[in-house]
Amino acid sequence: MVPPPRFDAVRFATYEPDPAQPSQAEAVKVLSDFAAGLGSGEPAKKRGWFRKAPAAPKGPRGVYLDGGYGVGKTHLLASLWHATDAPPEKKAFGTFVELTNLVGALGFQKTVQTLGGHRLLCIDEFELDDPGDTVLVSTLLGKLVEAGVALAATSNTLPGKLGEGRFAAADFLREIQGLSAHFRPLRIDGEDYRHRGLPAAPAPAAEEAVIKASHATDGATLDPFPALLQHLAEVHPSRYGALTDGIRAVCLTGVKEVPDQATALRLVVLADRLYDREIPVLASGVAFDRLFSEEMLAGGYRKKYFRAISRLTALARDGQGLLPA
C-alpha cells in the first residue's frame, strides 16, 4: 500500500499551483504542516507523578482534499505520504476500493490490527457507492482514529455529501456524519491540469494503424474493445492492477459507447490503474469523451466518468507516440 508508479517521485516541491487559484498553494502549506505535525513517532517520555499528561489533540485527526478532477489531489496526497517521517511499513496509501478490498481479504478485525499501528492512512478517490461500504468504512475509520492513526483522503465530493445520488444517503446520515467528523475539509479549486493549455483530445487512430503499432511496440497489448469489456466482467476489480503488469502500451480496436453502468464502472477502475502506471493507450473507434452516455454523465457516478475521460484522454495523448512519424 504505497503510492503507484506515477506518484512515486512526486513531492510538495514538484506540485505547481495555479497562480489564479490561491487554494492550491494554501493546500500545499496546510498539508506540509499536517505532515510535520505527525512528528517522528518517537514514544513520549515517561511522565512524572506531578506532571500533567499532554492534552489530546482537538478537532479532526485527518484532512480531506475536496475538488474537481485534475486539480492535483492525488499528487498532494502522495506528497503527504512521502513527507511523513515514518518508515513505509508505518504508513499506507491506497484507493478507497483497495481499502475495502483489503477488508474483504483480511477480515475486519485483522485490518484494524494491521492498520492500527500505522501513523498515516491515505485514501485516494474516497467515494461511497452503497450503504454497506458506508457502515463498513465509518466503523473502520473510527477504530483507526481511536488507535491514533492520522487520516488523509481525496474525493470529488464533500464528506457530508458522500453517497448522494447513488443510494438513499438520508437513511445512513449518522454514518456519513460520523465519517465527516474525522476530517477537516480542504477545498482545492482549479481546472483540470491534464488539459490546461493543451489541445483537444486526439482523434481516434485508424484500426490498421493501431494493429501495426501494437506489433511494432514491445510489451503492447492488442484487444477488440468489446472483448476487453467482457474480460473485465470476469476479473475482480481488485486484480485490474495485476492485469497491467509488464504492459508497456494498450492498443484497442473498435472502441464504442459502453452499454451499461456496471460495465462503465469497471472501465473507470481500469482507467485509474492504467493512469497510475503511466501506460499509453492507442485506440480506434469513438473518442474517449464519447464512452459514456449523456444519462450516465448526468447521474450519480458522473464524477467518476469525467475523471476516467480526463485520464484516458491524457493516456491517448501519450499513445500518439506509438504511431509512426
Side-chain angles (χ1 to χ4, degrees):
M1 297 189 73
V2 299
R6 178 179 288 271
F7 300 100
D8 186 50
V10 301
R11 299 294 186 272
F12 289 129
T14 63
Y15 182 78
E16 299 180 6
D18 184 346
Q21 304 292 344
S23 61
Q24 295 187 8
E26 176 66 14
V28 173
K29 181 181 184 305
V30 170
L31 291 173
S32 298
D33 292 344
F34 185 75
L38 295 179
S40 63
E42 295 297 326
K45 293 181 179 179
K46 185 177 180 66
R47 79 181 167 92
W49 284 102
F50 303 105
R51 188 181 306 160
K52 283 187 176 182
K58 296 181 179 180
R61 186 170 168 76
V63 63
Y64 188 101
L65 309 182
D66 172 64
Y69 51 89
V71 296
K73 299 187 300 298
T74 303
H75 183 135
L76 291 171
L77 188 70
S79 298
L80 172 64
W81 188 93
H82 290 299
T84 298
D85 185 13
E89 62 270 16
K90 290 297 181 181
K91 50 187 179 180
F93 185 105
T95 64
F96 178 84
V97 171
E98 288 169 337
L99 179 62
T100 56
N101 288 339
L102 182 67
V103 177
L106 298 183
F108 184 83
Q109 293 300 332
K110 184 65 175 178
T111 302
V112 173
Q113 294 171 11
T114 301
L115 296 178
H118 283 54
R119 192 152 338 133
L120 173 69
L121 171 62
C122 295
I123 310 169
D124 199 20
E125 301 160 15
F126 199 114
E127 295 172 344
L128 298 181
D129 296 339
D130 62 65
D133 282 348
T134 304
V135 176
L136 172 69
V137 174
S138 176
T139 307
L140 174 64
L141 296 189
K143 295 287 186 183
L144 295 180
V145 169
E146 288 177 6
V149 182
L151 306 173
T154 72
S155 181
N156 304 123
T157 307
L158 284 168
K161 300 292 186 181
L162 287 166
E164 283 193 355
R166 299 172 192 167
F167 62 89
D171 295 341
F172 294 86
L173 187 58
R174 185 178 64 181
E175 283 78 9
I176 292 173
Q177 288 175 338
L179 280 171
S180 180
H182 297 314
F183 297 101
R184 168 194 172 181
L186 184 62
R187 176 70 187 177
I188 304 176
D189 300 303
E191 59 180 313
D192 188 345
Y193 79 92
R194 287 182 284 267
H195 310 300
R196 191 188 301 164
L198 294 175
E207 183 169 316
E208 182 180 355
V210 173
I211 295 172
K212 285 184 176 180
S214 71
H215 291 304
T217 305
D218 290 337
T221 62
L222 175 63
D223 294 284
F225 188 65
L228 172 66
L229 297 183
Q230 178 60 40
H231 184 63
L232 292 181
E234 299 166 359
V235 180
H236 193 278
S238 65
R239 301 294 298 162
Y240 287 6
L243 282 178
T244 67
D245 288 346
I247 293 176
R248 297 180 59 186
V250 169
C251 296
L252 299 171
T253 58
V255 173
K256 58 183 179 180
E257 184 179 294
V258 294
D260 57 74
Q261 192 120 264
T263 302
L265 291 172
R266 287 192 287 266
L267 186 60
V268 167
V269 177
L270 179 64
D272 287 338
R273 300 294 79 80
L274 293 175
Y275 183 77
D276 287 345
R277 290 156 177 78
E278 302 181 286
I279 299 174
V281 177
L282 182 65
S284 68
V286 304
F288 285 134
D289 59 2
R290 293 173 54 197
L291 278 173
F292 308 108
S293 68
E294 291 296 326
E295 182 180 1
M296 290 180 184
L297 294 178
Y301 297 105
R302 60 188 177 279
K303 292 179 180 178
K304 284 189 174 187
Y305 299 144
F306 281 120
R307 183 181 76 231
I309 291 171
S310 171
R311 290 182 166 186
L312 287 172
T313 296
L315 296 177
R317 290 199 185 101
D318 296 339
Q320 293 296 292
L322 303 176
L323 295 171

